[in-house]
Amino acid sequence: MTSTFLKPFDAAWFYVEKAETPANVGPLLILTPPADAPDNFISGFVEQWRQHKTFAPPFNYRLKRNPIPAWEVLPDDEIDLDYHLRHLALPAPGGERELGIMISRLHSHPLEMKRPLWECHVIEGLEGGRFAIYMKFHHGQLDGVATARLFEGFLTPDSSARGMLPPWAVGVYGNGDREVKQQNTTPREGAGFRKSISGFAGATKALIQMTAKLRSGSEAELTGPFQAPNTIFNGRISAQRRFATQQYDLARFKRVAKAANVTVNDVFLSITGGAMRRYLSEFDALPERSVTGQVPVNVRPSGQAGVGNQIAFVYARLRTDIEDPIDRLAAVHSSVAAGKALHESLPAESVAPFTMLLSGPYIAQTILGLGGRVSPAANLVISNVAGPSVPLYFNGAGIEEMYGPSVLFHGQALNITMFSYAGRANISYTGCRDSIPSMQKLAVYTGEALDELEAAVGVRNL
Amino acid sequence: MTSTFLKPFDAAWFYVEKAETPANVGPLLILTPPADAPDNFISGFVEQWRQHKTFAPPFNYRLKRNPIPAWEVLPDDEIDLDYHLRHLALPAPGGERELGIMISRLHSHPLEMKRPLWECHVIEGLEGGRFAIYMKFHHGQLDGVATARLFEGFLTPDSSARGMLPPWAVGVYGNGDREVKQQNTTPREGAGFRKSISGFAGATKALIQMTAKLRSGSEAELTGPFQAPNTIFNGRISAQRRFATQQYDLARFKRVAKAANVTVNDVFLSITGGAMRRYLSEFDALPERSVTGQVPVNVRPSGQAGVGNQIAFVYARLRTDIEDPIDRLAAVHSSVAAGKALHESLPAESVAPFTMLLSGPYIAQTILGLGGRVSPAANLVISNVAGPSVPLYFNGAGIEEMYGPSVLFHGQALNITMFSYAGRANISYTGCRDSIPSMQKLAVYTGEALDELEAAVGVRNL
């Protein structure tokens, strides 16, 4: 049996995981069967899938913890497909509420470490004959971008394709795309570790520079870890999750971005800041300083997929301290730009070590059990993943919506993830059940903040 | 906030619980809506239930572990009903298989210790318009008999009753039956502990006698803990469960019992022994010595309910070593009778301590992590709970079937529980997913062993 060592940042996800903080990530897809679908369309393909018992990476990887964390590749006949593939149904009326409740529960249970780290839930009974596919992965194995790549492998832009393979037959690398695989698998024999260490010099230098700038106030917009105020989102969390979603036309974000000369991501962070300002004010819990988001940035060379995390973090203020929507947008833009500029100044090999250094105090906090008991590294993780840009299909069923239920930690009871897909912005809210009362409000207020920003920028009626 | 100390045997359930061995117990009820039920019958009563936010014991008890395990009573407004009450649906065709899969999964997840230790799942979508209610309790709080008493409180023999209260509004003591409650709550201030200790003298004496008898072979039929052979059911287990059910006319058991001058329980143990003999033979894994069952016995004075366990254990051989069905039945009868006689010779106050002593080596094994690594105390727990004898209804929906998903341990990968109810024998099989291959076969073979026994005794065509 071959095995592949984990990169340090991937391994960290397993060390910080506790019962209250399972490191589960989605995706969640919502699909409409094709117009000519028979009544048993869903149970039909589930039955076909059950017969498909060959597994592509990482669906056949199992975590081996000793002596150092590594992936071992399981032979097909040691994988219990009936365990991983699950057919479920929603109770009537099968609306957004019922789906949100089901996803909350599924997302609260940790993956079983003795088996390959994935589950695939096919959920029928959504109103209008729709269905959902919720896949659960471990963040130590797949990040948001790798998940989006998975879609590109097992889905197709061809609405007439039928008899398609299940996700585990395709894997994250796409259908037999060995070249991409070779580029991305961490080399064996610890070469990944050595490379990491050589990059630390540049990373340490950047960290020292950043700390100096933050101390001197020479770049007012730059923020870093542990600059965040304490909020109600930043205590200890419990094991249960809430999950809510919102979907918007991506064109709305683009119009605002163009009019204000900022990015779509700036618009997303800014309306989230607006929603959070209103939500926290209602609980009389708005901090004086701005809420800070930890924004994962994809650092893969383009065209690469690969198992594991290839992300860095930018810290940005959501400017919950600014009421005016245009002023807030401008300030968010400056904050993100300052964080990005710092990142772009790093030599390529220093990005991963820099992420480790930035996350280091946080990881140490978690291991020491201090998460949620001391000042937070950031108030929330807020993530913007570029998904497929064209409509995709599975066996003729159109993917309508695509969401990213994600990970929480002690000290970070909220994750907001936006997946852009086929001209739509799909935003999901993953929160701790006991820390985020009425989380649905936050989702609704985000939409209202977008309305308000459009009106302010003057693009509402375009 | 008042609190009540746990009896030692109840507390032990919490000490031995691990991620792989959640101490979940059922019940599972299968119901048919009344003939005149509206389409929204199920969602209608679930909606009514959601409004009912007052909680009777033990639905408002929370475990406090320090300094010694105790129940504290939560005020109603600190209980998150939406967490405990869950509305689910089965995928088509909603048969026994789909229900078994769903119950397996629900039963695999541990209860959350920060909250009152119960969940109530209303499951729609069973074929023929039926539905199920699966409640999950912690064995440290409720045993099988207490669960059956719960039914007597929240269900009714009156098929015309409507607008009935949910289980948490009624509690285990029945509707305001304070007298029963007073008799059964463990007194505060540690009196329960003191009483336990005073009973240990008699219990220790009985244990010494039993050990002497087992050693001398003076009572060949008597068996005790650690007399069991090693079987494939007795290794380490994993966290996932399988669940299967079988239902028979109780009259069939009674006819055999009467013809052979034995008890219904003897018949149940004997056909289980027959099924297990065949099943183990197929895996070429039949041990030479008989498989041994640990049989919980209710030791409540009649008319009492009460939170916590009031059970003792009898050890009995299932005589998997005997092929002939009549010889097997006779031998099982002798084995059970020997175990019972020993129990009946105990003074009343020594029963609970005797159970602790009998379980002591097993509990110690579990705490030391030896369960499943050394010889098993018994091969399985096999339980026979006398449920309600008359048909019961909930809001006009008739209870058709009533099962007891139960607890597994390292070293005991199988639990078989029979609930008798309204003239039917409802048998459920709870097994470890990774230790009991094709568990459904065991259920099917039990029915065939019953057929065979009827034929042998000559009561098949009565």
Side-chain angles (χ1 to χ4, degrees), chain A residues 191-208:
Chain A
F193 274 95
R194 280 200 301 276
K195 202 170 157 196
S196 290
I197 291 162
S198 80
F200 262 94
T204 308
K205 198 174 137 200
L207 190 71
I208 292 168

mmCIF file of all heavy atoms in Angstrom, chain A residues 191-208:
data_model
loop_
_atom_site.group_PDB
_atom_site.id
_atom_site.type_symbol
_atom_site.label_atom_id
_atom_site.label_comp_id
_atom_site.label_asym_id
_atom_site.label_seq_id
_atom_site.Cartn_x
_atom_site.Cartn_y
_atom_site.Cartn_z
ATOM 1 N N ALA A 191 9.636 15.489 0.959
ATOM 2 C CA ALA A 191 10.121 16.644 0.201
ATOM 3 C C ALA A 191 9.254 17.876 0.454
ATOM 4 O O ALA A 191 9.737 19.000 0.465
ATOM 5 C CB ALA A 191 10.160 16.316 -1.291
ATOM 6 N N GLY A 192 7.926 17.642 0.653
ATOM 7 C CA GLY A 192 7.021 18.750 0.940
ATOM 8 C C GLY A 192 7.445 19.493 2.192
ATOM 9 O O GLY A 192 7.444 20.723 2.233
ATOM 10 N N PHE A 193 7.820 18.756 3.198
ATOM 11 C CA PHE A 193 8.263 19.380 4.438
ATOM 12 C C PHE A 193 9.507 20.233 4.217
ATOM 13 O O PHE A 193 9.604 21.348 4.687
ATOM 14 C CB PHE A 193 8.578 18.300 5.491
ATOM 15 C CG PHE A 193 7.377 17.863 6.269
ATOM 16 C CD1 PHE A 193 6.667 16.738 5.884
ATOM 17 C CD2 PHE A 193 6.959 18.589 7.368
ATOM 18 C CE1 PHE A 193 5.561 16.339 6.602
ATOM 19 C CE2 PHE A 193 5.848 18.191 8.098
ATOM 20 C CZ PHE A 193 5.141 17.061 7.710
ATOM 21 N N ARG A 194 10.462 19.654 3.450
ATOM 22 C CA ARG A 194 11.711 20.393 3.234
ATOM 23 C C ARG A 194 11.466 21.696 2.498
ATOM 24 O O ARG A 194 11.979 22.735 2.854
ATOM 25 C CB ARG A 194 12.705 19.525 2.448
ATOM 26 C CG ARG A 194 13.423 18.504 3.334
ATOM 27 C CD ARG A 194 14.711 18.016 2.672
ATOM 28 N NE ARG A 194 14.477 17.388 1.386
ATOM 29 C CZ ARG A 194 14.135 16.119 1.220
ATOM 30 N NH1 ARG A 194 13.971 15.334 2.263
ATOM 31 N NH2 ARG A 194 13.933 15.627 0.015
ATOM 32 N N LYS A 195 10.600 21.612 1.470
ATOM 33 C CA LYS A 195 10.297 22.804 0.695
ATOM 34 C C LYS A 195 9.628 23.848 1.591
ATOM 35 O O LYS A 195 9.926 25.034 1.504
ATOM 36 C CB LYS A 195 9.367 22.413 -0.462
ATOM 37 C CG LYS A 195 9.383 23.387 -1.608
ATOM 38 C CD LYS A 195 8.644 22.810 -2.799
ATOM 39 C CE LYS A 195 8.163 23.893 -3.727
ATOM 40 N NZ LYS A 195 7.156 23.403 -4.656
ATOM 41 N N SER A 196 8.718 23.384 2.448
ATOM 42 C CA SER A 196 8.050 24.300 3.364
ATOM 43 C C SER A 196 9.066 25.055 4.188
ATOM 44 O O SER A 196 8.996 26.265 4.352
ATOM 45 C CB SER A 196 7.144 23.525 4.331
ATOM 46 O OG SER A 196 6.046 23.013 3.646
ATOM 47 N N ILE A 197 10.024 24.322 4.697
ATOM 48 C CA ILE A 197 10.985 24.946 5.596
ATOM 49 C C ILE A 197 11.826 25.985 4.867
ATOM 50 O O ILE A 197 12.064 27.073 5.375
ATOM 51 C CB ILE A 197 11.858 23.867 6.284
ATOM 52 C CG1 ILE A 197 10.961 23.087 7.254
ATOM 53 C CG2 ILE A 197 13.031 24.471 7.020
ATOM 54 C CD1 ILE A 197 11.513 21.758 7.688
ATOM 55 N N SER A 198 12.207 25.676 3.623
ATOM 56 C CA SER A 198 13.028 26.638 2.892
ATOM 57 C C SER A 198 12.256 27.927 2.618
ATOM 58 O O SER A 198 12.844 28.989 2.488
ATOM 59 C CB SER A 198 13.527 26.027 1.583
ATOM 60 O OG SER A 198 12.499 26.079 0.607
ATOM 61 N N GLY A 199 10.934 27.839 2.537
ATOM 62 C CA GLY A 199 10.142 29.048 2.300
ATOM 63 C C GLY A 199 9.943 29.891 3.541
ATOM 64 O O GLY A 199 9.458 31.018 3.468
ATOM 65 N N PHE A 200 10.278 29.353 4.707
ATOM 66 C CA PHE A 200 9.974 30.055 5.950
ATOM 67 C C PHE A 200 10.747 31.354 6.110
ATOM 68 O O PHE A 200 10.282 32.288 6.756
ATOM 69 C CB PHE A 200 10.252 29.141 7.160
ATOM 70 C CG PHE A 200 9.008 28.482 7.683
ATOM 71 C CD1 PHE A 200 8.635 27.217 7.250
ATOM 72 C CD2 PHE A 200 8.193 29.150 8.595
ATOM 73 C CE1 PHE A 200 7.482 26.619 7.719
ATOM 74 C CE2 PHE A 200 7.044 28.555 9.069
ATOM 75 C CZ PHE A 200 6.679 27.272 8.627
ATOM 76 N N ALA A 201 11.951 31.397 5.497
ATOM 77 C CA ALA A 201 12.763 32.603 5.649
ATOM 78 C C ALA A 201 12.001 33.818 5.122
ATOM 79 O O ALA A 201 11.793 34.796 5.838
ATOM 80 C CB ALA A 201 14.093 32.431 4.901
ATOM 81 N N GLY A 202 11.535 33.722 3.866
ATOM 82 C CA GLY A 202 10.794 34.831 3.278
ATOM 83 C C GLY A 202 9.520 35.121 4.048
ATOM 84 O O GLY A 202 9.140 36.282 4.235
ATOM 85 N N ALA A 203 8.869 34.083 4.510
ATOM 86 C CA ALA A 203 7.604 34.251 5.213
ATOM 87 C C ALA A 203 7.814 34.981 6.527
ATOM 88 O O ALA A 203 7.050 35.872 6.899
ATOM 89 C CB ALA A 203 6.966 32.884 5.461
ATOM 90 N N THR A 204 8.894 34.607 7.226
ATOM 91 C CA THR A 204 9.164 35.231 8.512
ATOM 92 C C THR A 204 9.452 36.712 8.325
ATOM 93 O O THR A 204 8.974 37.561 9.074
ATOM 94 C CB THR A 204 10.359 34.531 9.194
ATOM 95 O OG1 THR A 204 10.090 33.135 9.204
ATOM 96 C CG2 THR A 204 10.547 35.024 10.598
ATOM 97 N N LYS A 205 10.198 37.004 7.263
ATOM 98 C CA LYS A 205 10.510 38.405 6.958
ATOM 99 C C LYS A 205 9.218 39.201 6.727
ATOM 100 O O LYS A 205 9.042 40.294 7.269
ATOM 101 C CB LYS A 205 11.406 38.440 5.705
ATOM 102 C CG LYS A 205 12.152 39.737 5.504
ATOM 103 C CD LYS A 205 13.121 39.612 4.322
ATOM 104 C CE LYS A 205 13.065 40.861 3.456
ATOM 105 N NZ LYS A 205 13.593 40.619 2.112
ATOM 106 N N ALA A 206 8.303 38.626 5.942
ATOM 107 C CA ALA A 206 7.049 39.318 5.648
ATOM 108 C C ALA A 206 6.233 39.527 6.917
ATOM 109 O O ALA A 206 5.611 40.572 7.112
ATOM 110 C CB ALA A 206 6.236 38.515 4.627
ATOM 111 N N LEU A 207 6.261 38.529 7.786
ATOM 112 C CA LEU A 207 5.506 38.650 9.027
ATOM 113 C C LEU A 207 6.066 39.770 9.891
ATOM 114 O O LEU A 207 5.321 40.559 10.479
ATOM 115 C CB LEU A 207 5.552 37.315 9.797
ATOM 116 C CG LEU A 207 4.612 37.224 10.991
ATOM 117 C CD1 LEU A 207 3.162 37.128 10.532
ATOM 118 C CD2 LEU A 207 4.948 36.019 11.859
ATOM 119 N N ILE A 208 7.387 39.870 9.936
ATOM 120 C CA ILE A 208 8.027 40.926 10.725
ATOM 121 C C ILE A 208 7.661 42.298 10.154
ATOM 122 O O ILE A 208 7.286 43.214 10.882
ATOM 123 C CB ILE A 208 9.567 40.728 10.748
ATOM 124 C CG1 ILE A 208 9.886 39.457 11.550
ATOM 125 C CG2 ILE A 208 10.291 41.940 11.329
ATOM 126 C CD1 ILE A 208 11.323 38.983 11.416
#
